[in-house]
C-alpha cells in the first residue's frame, strides 16, 4: 500500500499545519486482535482447566485465534507485513511481562491484601515466558512463511491446502519449541512423557484450527473483498 502524503491546511492565524492521513485498511485492526489475543492467552494459560478427560489450560479457546489471524494476515497481506505483526506481538508480550514483574516487585500498600494472588496470577516463570515467546515467534514465522511460499506456487487456488499445511508446520514448530523449553519446569522428565506432551498439544491445537477452517476462509474472503483485493 502506497503511503499518502500529509494533508496541509491553515489555522485561524494563517499558519500552515499538517496532519498525516490514516489509510482505510483492516490491517491495523487485525494486528491489534492478533497481538491482544497472544497477550491475553499468556495470562489465561496460567490456569489449569479440566474438561472431562481433557486436561488443558485457560487459553485453549483463545490461542488458535492468533493463528487464524496470522493466516488471514499472511494470505491477504504477505509475509513481510505478517512478520511485522509477529514482531510487534513479541515486543508487546515482552513489555507486558516486564510491566507485570515491576508491578509485583513494587511494595504493596498497607491496605492491599492481594499481593500473593496478584503475584501468583501475573508472575510468569521466566522459563515459561521464554518458552511462550520463542514458540510464538518461531511457530508464527513458520506458519506465515509456509503459507506465502505455497501461495506463490499455487496462485489464488488451493487456499484450504495451504491453510492446513501452514498450520501443521507452524503448530508443530511452536509446540515442539515450547515443550522443549518448558518441560523441565513443569515436571516432564522422560522421553515418553515429552513425546506425549508434544503430540497432545500439537494434535489438539491443529485439530481446533482445522475445525475452524470454514471461519478462516470466510474471514479471508471478507477481508479481500473489503480491501478491494485484486490478485496479480
Amino acid at each position: 500500500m502506497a503511503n499518502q502524503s500529509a494533508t496541509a491546511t491553515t489555522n485561524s492565524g494563517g499558519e500552515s499545519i499538517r496532519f498525516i492521513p490514516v489509510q482505510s485498511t483492516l490491517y491495523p485492526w487485525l494486528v491489534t486482535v492478533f497481538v491482544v489475543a497472544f497477550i491475553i492467552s499468556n495470562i489465561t494459560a496460567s490456569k489449569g482447566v479440566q474438561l472431562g478427560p481433557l486436561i488443558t489450560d485457560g487459553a485453549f479457546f483463545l490461542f488458535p485465534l492468533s493463528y487464524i489471524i496470522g493466516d488471514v494476515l499472511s494470505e491477504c497481506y504477505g509475509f513481510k507485513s505478517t512478520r511485522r505483526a509477529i514482531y510487534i506481538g513479541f515486543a508487546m508480550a515482552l513489555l507486558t511481562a516486564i510491566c507485570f514483574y515491576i508491578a509485583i516487585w513494587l511494595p504493596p500498600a498497607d491496605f492491599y491484601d492481594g499481593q500473593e494472588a496478584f503475584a501468583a496470577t501475573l508472575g510468569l516463570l521466566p522459563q515459561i515466558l521464554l518458552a511462550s515467546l520463542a514458540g510464538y515467534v518461531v511457530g508464527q514465522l513458520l506458519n506465515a512463511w509456509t503459507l506465502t511460499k505455497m501461495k506463490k506456487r499455487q496462485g489464488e487456488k488451493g487456499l484450504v491446502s495451504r491453510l492446513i499445511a501452514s498450520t501443521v508446520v507452524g503448530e508443530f514448530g511452536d509446540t515442539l519449541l515450547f515443550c522443549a523449553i518448558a518441560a523441565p519446569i513443569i515436571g516432564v522428565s522422560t522421553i515418553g512423557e515429552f513425546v506425549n506432551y508434544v503430540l497432545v498439544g500439537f494434535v489438539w491445537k491443529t485439530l481446533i484450527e482445522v475445525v475452524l477452517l470454514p471461519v478462516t476462509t470466510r474471514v479471508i474472503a471478507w477481508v479481500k473483498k473489503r480491501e478491494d483485493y485484486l490478485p496479480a
Side-chain angles (χ1 to χ4, degrees):
M1 291 174 287
N3 293 326
Q4 299 178 9
S5 59
T7 57
T9 186
T10 56
N11 60 14
S12 57
E15 180 184 2
S16 177
I17 56 176
R18 293 187 175 188
F19 295 103
I20 300 174
V22 177
Q23 298 183 21
S24 179
T25 174
L26 293 171
Y27 178 76
W29 293 94
L30 291 168
V31 173
T32 300
V33 176
F34 181 72
V35 172
V36 171
F38 176 57
I39 293 175
I40 296 176
S41 67
N42 273 340
I43 301 170
T44 56
S46 63
K47 176 180 179 177
V49 173
Q50 183 166 357
L51 300 172
L54 177 65
I55 297 177
T56 181
D57 57 57
F60 80 95
F61 66 94
L62 182 62
F63 185 81
L65 178 62
S66 63
Y67 269 88
I68 292 173
I69 300 298
D71 286 338
V72 175
L73 289 169
S74 301
E75 174 67 22
C76 298
Y77 300 97
F79 181 71
K80 184 177 180 180
S81 295
T82 307
R83 182 178 60 191
R84 183 185 303 122
I86 294 169
Y87 290 160
I88 292 173
F90 175 85
M92 293 302 99
L94 184 60
L95 175 62
T96 300
I98 292 172
C99 291
F100 286 164
Y101 287 137
I102 293 175
I104 292 170
W105 172 79
L106 291 172
D110 293 337
F111 59 82
Y112 182 71
D113 58 2
Q115 175 67 13
E116 292 185 4
F118 183 84
T121 302
L122 300 180
L124 298 174
L125 293 172
Q127 195 164 342
I128 297 296
L129 176 63
L130 174 61
S132 177
L133 292 176
Y136 163 80
V137 169
V138 171
Q140 290 287 0
L141 287 175
L142 285 172
N143 182 79
W145 182 84
T146 302
L147 192 150
T148 52
K149 281 292 184 181
M150 290 183 66
K151 183 174 182 178
K152 289 179 180 179
R153 296 174 182 171
Q154 296 175 329
E156 293 299 317
K157 298 179 180 180
L159 174 60
V160 172
S161 65
R162 58 180 173 267
L163 286 175
I164 293 176
S166 63
T167 292
V168 169
V169 173
E171 287 289 11
F172 183 76
D174 185 338
T175 307
L176 180 63
L177 188 55
F178 177 88
C179 294
I181 297 174
I185 203 71
I186 64 174
V188 176
S189 57
T190 68
I191 297 296
E193 289 176 342
F194 178 76
V195 171
N196 181 71
Y197 185 35
V198 173
L199 288 180
V200 169
F202 166 69
V203 172
W204 172 247
K205 293 175 183 178
T206 303
L207 180 61
I208 291 178
E209 290 199 55
V210 171
V211 170
L212 292 176
L213 269 178
V215 176
T216 306
T217 56
R218 283 176 172 80
V219 173
I220 287 174
W222 178 77
V223 170
K224 288 181 176 180
K225 182 178 180 180
R226 170 64 174 73
E227 300 283 48
D228 293 327
Y229 177 83
L230 295 175

